[in-house]
């Protein structure tokens, strides 16, 4: 499975409004839901918070990756959001994050999308990849960057 | 070039695990070291570290927010930290290990499941050994719990669980039922977890059913091993067959098609072959119990060698199960030799470490002392790490020691009425002191052989 198959322009936003963790999560979940990804929005949100409760997914170096693997997800999807002013995600480095990948994984035995997610995660560590994402000006451009992985 | 290993994992296992892997590998590359990272993600364990790699590496970084098997790293420099530290401070961590600042992890030198095998690598032999040990190590706690509880119930008297006997005691009967149930899980669990090691969860399901059939049809341990491998490899094959199915069928496949097909095939094969396998099993037991009448010396050597040969593996268990079966038939003599032979190997190691401190490194020595406890509780597995380091030399010594203990037990006509429990059950053993002396004799001879044949370790490691 190609990483790009996990993304869709309908679940990419370059204009996040929120400044707090709760606001950002709500915004991203709404985006997911509008994209028709979720079977149960409430349960998905709970799973996201359950994961955050274990430890924040604000990794530092600009990135947050809240994620949940649950039956409340219909199809595997990664929603991407960017905020120019930055938002607080209780990141490890105490800085504001600018990029968010919200991951919705299905609760089946299929490993294909998990493997694709693993590849995506490995790339997030790389600074040039993040810089290209920060520079992207439209959803289409974000998709272009992701295609290159 | 320094070789480092890493383990990463997080609770959900879909993002952090792999980011930490990448971060550690990059950091190692930058600092001029080689690094392999095992990932414990939602897909399962990938890039698993082999015992050889662990033995050879210069240090290990464990960046995990979930439990992973740490025992295998005993005796190596290990840094344990959170997965986010692994992502954010990868370079710092790698540098720390390269500078030799990682603390050495204590505990026994290596655990049963990760003991380096002489066949090494990923050879077929090693694979089979690994699957087998996955079954054996999962089964063991059931045996220990069941055996010790059963032994405790005998404190009320050997017939305390029999309602028609005057020794009957309701507490003892209850404990014995619990213990017996746990012991009864032995065969199905062995099959299930051999299969799980090969074919993951689908394998486990078919393996457990196959193992249960082996249990019920009397094909016992041999049946369980057959069921385990059959179920594991067959599931792998069936999963492979279904690879082409569209993704929508994923759910259907994993909870419907695969279990039905694999359970049916494995179950039917086990049911059909049960007769012949049970016959082999019975022939082996008959052979062993027949030896008892002919010659206590030959029997003692056979039992001693079997018990020490793989220390808790299938050969050991074959002797052990024969003992427990005969116990059920009221033969208390046979078990005396088996128990003595099972108790001896760990005691050999412990006694050797006590007498000759210069033959053991500091870490090995503290691990060796634990063998006193393991030996006294009939857990032969304690000697595995020491035998695994140098099997060609150590195994024969353990076999000699165990044989002496067993032969003496048979000659002295010791009776052991409980299937497990080591020295816990001494009050039930007749004559108890003689039995302990038999075991000590074998253990001391073994310990002396061990000391004579091993080299001194350098001063600074003692």
């Amino acid at each position: 499975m190609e990483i790009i198959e996990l993304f869709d322009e309908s679940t990419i936003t370059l204009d996040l409004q929120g400044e707090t963790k709760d606001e950002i999560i709500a915004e991203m979940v709404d985006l997911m839901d509008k994209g028709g990804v979720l079977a149960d929005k409430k349960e998905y949100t709970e799973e996201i918070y359950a994961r955050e409760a274990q430890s924040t997914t604000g990794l530092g170096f600009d990135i947050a990756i809240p994620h949940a693997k649950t039956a409340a997800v219909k199809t595997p999807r990664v929603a991407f959001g960017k905020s120019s002013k930055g938002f607080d995600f209780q990141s490890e480095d105490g800085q504001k994050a600018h990029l968010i990948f919200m991951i919705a994984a299905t609760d089946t035995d299929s490993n294909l999308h998990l493997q694709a997610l693993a590849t995506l995660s490995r790339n997030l560590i790389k600074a040039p990849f993040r810089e290209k994402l920060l520079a992207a000006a439209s959803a289409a451009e974000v998709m272009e960057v992701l295609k290159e992985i | 070039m320094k070789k480092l290993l890493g383990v990463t994992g997080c609770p959900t296992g879909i993002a952090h695990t792999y980011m930490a892997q990448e971060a550690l590998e990059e950091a190692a590359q930058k600092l001029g070291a080689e690094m392999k990272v095992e990932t414990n993600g939602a897909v399962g364990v990938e890039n698993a570290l082999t015992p050889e790699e662990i033995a050879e590496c210069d240090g290990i970084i464990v960046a995990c927010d979930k439990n992973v098997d740490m025992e295998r790293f005993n005796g190596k420099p290990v840094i344990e930290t959170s997965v986010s530290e692994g992502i954010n401070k990868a370079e710092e961590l790698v540098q720390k290990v390269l500078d030799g600042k990682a603390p050495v992890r204590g505990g026994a030198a290596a655990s049963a499941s990760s003991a380096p095998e002489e066949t090494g690598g990923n050879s077929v032999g090693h694979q089979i050994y690994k699957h087998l040990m996955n079954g054996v190590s999962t089964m063991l706690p059931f045996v220990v719990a069941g055996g010790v509880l059963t032994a405790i119930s005998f404190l009320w008297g050997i017939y305390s669980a029999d309602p028609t006997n005057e020794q009957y005691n309701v507490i003892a009967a209850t404990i014995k039922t619990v213990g017996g149930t746990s012991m009864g899980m032995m065969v199905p669990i062995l099959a299930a977890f051999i299969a799980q090691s090969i074919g993951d969860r689908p394998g486990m399901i078919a393996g457990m059913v196959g193992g249960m059939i082996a249990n019920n049809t009397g094909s016992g341990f041999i049946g369980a091993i057959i069921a385990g491998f059959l179920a594991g490899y067959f599931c792998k094959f069936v999963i492979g067959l279904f690879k082409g199915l569209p993704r929508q069928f994923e759910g259907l496949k994993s909870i419907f098609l695969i279990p039905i097909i694999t359970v049916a095939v494995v179950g039917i094969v086990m049911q059909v072959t049960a007769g012949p396998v049970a016959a082999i099993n019975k022939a082996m037991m008959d052979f062993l119990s027949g030896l008892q009448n002919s010659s206590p010396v030959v029997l003692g050597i056979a039992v001693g060698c079997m018990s020490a040969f793989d220390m808790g593996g299938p050969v050991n268990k074959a002797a052990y199960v024969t003992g427990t079966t005969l116990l059920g038939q009221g033969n208390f003599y046979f078990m005396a030799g088996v128990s003595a032979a099972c108790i001896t190997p760990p005691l050999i190691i412990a006694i050797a470490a006590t007498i000759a401190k210069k033959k053991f490194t500091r870490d090995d020595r503290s691990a060796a002392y634990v063998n006193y406890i393991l030996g006294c509780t009939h857990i032969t597995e304690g000697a595995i790490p020491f035998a695994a380091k140098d099997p060609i030399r150590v195994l024969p010594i353990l076999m000699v020691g165990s044989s002496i203990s067993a032969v003496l037990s048979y000659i002295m006509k010791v009776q052991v009425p409980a299937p497990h429990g080591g020295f816990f059950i001494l009050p039930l053993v007749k004559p108890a002191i003689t039995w302990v002396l038999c075991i000590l004799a074998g253990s001391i001879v073994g310990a002396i052989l061990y000391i004579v044949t091993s080299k001194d370790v350098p001063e600074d490691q003692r």
Side-chain angles (χ1 to χ4, degrees), chain A residues 51 59 92 109 111 121-122, chain B residues 12 19 21 43 84 88 254:
Chain A
R51 175 62 186 87
L59 295 170
E92 303 275 347
D109 282 338
N111 287 337
S121 305
R122 291 192 185 102
Chain B
T12 346
M19 298 177 75
Q21 175 199 17
V43 239
S84 55
N88 287 302
S254 58

Side-chain angles (χ1 to χ4, degrees), chain B residues 74-301:
Chain B
N74 286 348
K76 304 294 292 188
V78 177
I79 298 182
E80 267 186 83
T81 181
S82 67
V83 69
S84 55
E85 294 266 292
I87 296 171
N88 287 302
K89 297 185 179 155
E91 248 176 73
E92 227 170 89
L93 293 169
V94 171
Q95 192 61 56
K96 200 170 159 192
V97 176
L98 291 177
D99 294 346
K101 286 182 188 152
V104 171
R105 188 180 153 84
S111 73
S113 56
S114 65
E117 247 290 74
E118 49 171 335
T119 46
N122 283 321
S123 67
V124 178
H126 179 72
Q127 288 295 318
I128 289 180
Y129 175 84
K130 194 186 84 184
H131 302 320
L132 201 55
M133 286 317 286
N134 190 58
V136 171
S137 61
T138 312
M139 172 187 77
L140 193 73
F142 288 87
V143 182
V144 173
V148 172
L149 287 177
T150 308
I152 289 173
S153 83
F154 289 147
L155 293 179
W156 277 272
I158 188 76
Y159 299 112
S160 56
D162 179 358
T164 59
N165 195 285
E166 58 178 26
Q167 287 182 347
Y168 181 73
N169 176 299
V170 68
I171 299 170
T174 310
I175 294 175
K176 185 153 186 277
T177 309
V178 174
T181 308
S182 181
M183 287 289 269
M185 307 287 279
M186 199 158 71
V187 168
I189 292 289
L190 175 66
F193 285 86
I194 290 173
Q196 186 237 23
S197 171
I198 305 166
D200 287 329
R201 209 177 59 174
M204 194 263 282
I205 295 158
M208 189 169 287
V209 176
M212 206 71 205
I213 294 174
N215 201 29
N216 297 342
T217 54
S219 55
F221 266 80
I222 300 177
I225 292 166
I226 295 173
F229 281 100
L230 174 70
Y233 286 115
F234 184 66
C235 280
K236 240 184 158 173
F237 170 74
V238 174
I239 292 168
L241 276 189
F242 284 140
K243 268 240 161 72
L245 274 191
R247 283 235 322 277
Q248 297 88 292
F249 292 111
E250 199 63 55
L252 180 72
K253 196 172 84 179
S254 58
I255 64 161
F256 196 78
L257 292 177
I258 292 180
I260 292 177
I261 296 172
T262 54
V263 167
V265 170
V266 172
I268 291 168
V269 170
M270 288 310 296
Q271 198 73 45
V272 171
T273 57
V277 178
I280 297 176
N281 217 25
K282 188 164 176 303
M284 199 165 69
M285 288 192 188
D286 287 348
F287 170 72
L288 283 175
S289 51
L291 275 181
Q292 192 186 357
N293 303 327
S294 55
S295 160
V297 176
V298 178
L299 175 66
I301 292 172

Side-chain angles (χ1 to χ4, degrees), chain A residues 14-55:
Chain A
L14 303 184
D15 190 24
L16 285 172
Q17 297 300 317
E19 289 182 23
T20 67
K21 192 167 185 171
D22 289 340
E23 287 166 8
I24 290 289
I25 288 180
E27 245 179 285
M28 291 301 289
V29 172
D30 278 342
L31 188 66
M32 278 275 192
D33 197 37
K34 277 189 201 123
V37 176
L38 304 177
D40 186 338
K41 185 178 172 184
K42 185 166 160 281
E43 195 190 326
Y44 178 75
T45 313
E46 278 167 12
E47 288 287 332
I48 287 283
Y49 274 103
R51 175 62 186 87
E52 293 300 319
Q54 286 175 327
S55 64

